[in-house]
């Protein structure tokens, strides 16, 4: 719910990347969720053949997390959303929104 709310409010900025050669990138929830997970610090890093580093989001299997691990990931995700997407929100604002979304979900 938090990721979907943040995604709905996220507007990608203008980019100029010569590698795109005129292609227009699309907004993708799946890519957004992975990037948000990485920004929250829940990722693995791997060396590539060209000695660059590839960062990949870890799987989010809430049912396999203990409460402490879930709370840490959730708090880090909230911080990433506030820092990178919902910059005009406070933690209390976002907690209120998430609570309202959860009430509508049940």
């Amino acid at each position: 719910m938090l990721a979907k709310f943040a995604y709905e409010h996220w507007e990608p900025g203008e980019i100029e990347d010569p590698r795109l050669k005129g292609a227009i990138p699309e907004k993708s929830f799946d890519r957004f969720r992975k990037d948000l997970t990485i920004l929250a610090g829940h990722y693995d890093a791997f060396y590539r053949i060209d000695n660059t580093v590839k960062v990949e989001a870890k799987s989010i299997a809430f049912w396999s997390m203990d409460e402490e691990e879930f709370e840490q990931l959730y708090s880090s995700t909230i911080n990433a959303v506030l820092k990178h997407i919902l910059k005009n929100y406070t933690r209390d604002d976002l907690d209120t929104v998430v609570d309202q979304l959860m009430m509508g979900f049940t």
Side-chain angles (χ1 to χ4, degrees):
M1 298 216 144
L2 171 60
K4 284 192 178 213
F5 181 78
Y7 178 75
E8 290 170 1
H9 289 82
W10 172 60
E11 290 297 328
E14 297 278 329
I15 61 166
E16 290 185 28
D17 188 333
R19 296 173 299 171
L20 294 176
K21 298 180 184 181
I24 300 171
E26 295 182 28
K27 191 173 167 181
S28 162
F29 177 71
D30 188 52
R31 181 72 256 162
F32 176 86
R33 182 187 51 76
K34 289 175 184 177
D35 288 343
L36 186 58
T37 302
I38 290 167
L39 288 172
H42 196 70
Y43 62 86
D44 293 312
F46 306 93
Y47 279 108
R48 298 174 62 155
I49 291 173
D50 64 358
N51 286 329
T52 60
V53 175
K54 171 74 173 177
V55 178
E56 295 180 3
K58 287 184 181 178
S59 174
I60 301 177
F62 295 119
W63 57 88
S64 69
M65 292 182 183
D66 62 30
E67 187 174 340
E68 183 179 333
E69 186 179 10
F70 171 80
E71 288 297 328
Q72 183 179 6
L73 175 59
Y74 181 76
S75 182
S76 297
T77 302
I78 288 274
N79 292 339
V81 167
L82 292 172
K83 181 178 180 180
H84 297 282
I85 300 149
L86 301 174
K87 297 175 183 179
N88 294 330
Y89 279 62
T90 65
R91 173 71 190 246
D92 287 340
D93 294 336
L94 193 50
D95 285 342
T96 299
V97 168
V98 170
D99 287 345
Q100 290 171 346
L101 291 170
M102 293 300 290
M103 288 179 15
F105 185 69
T106 58

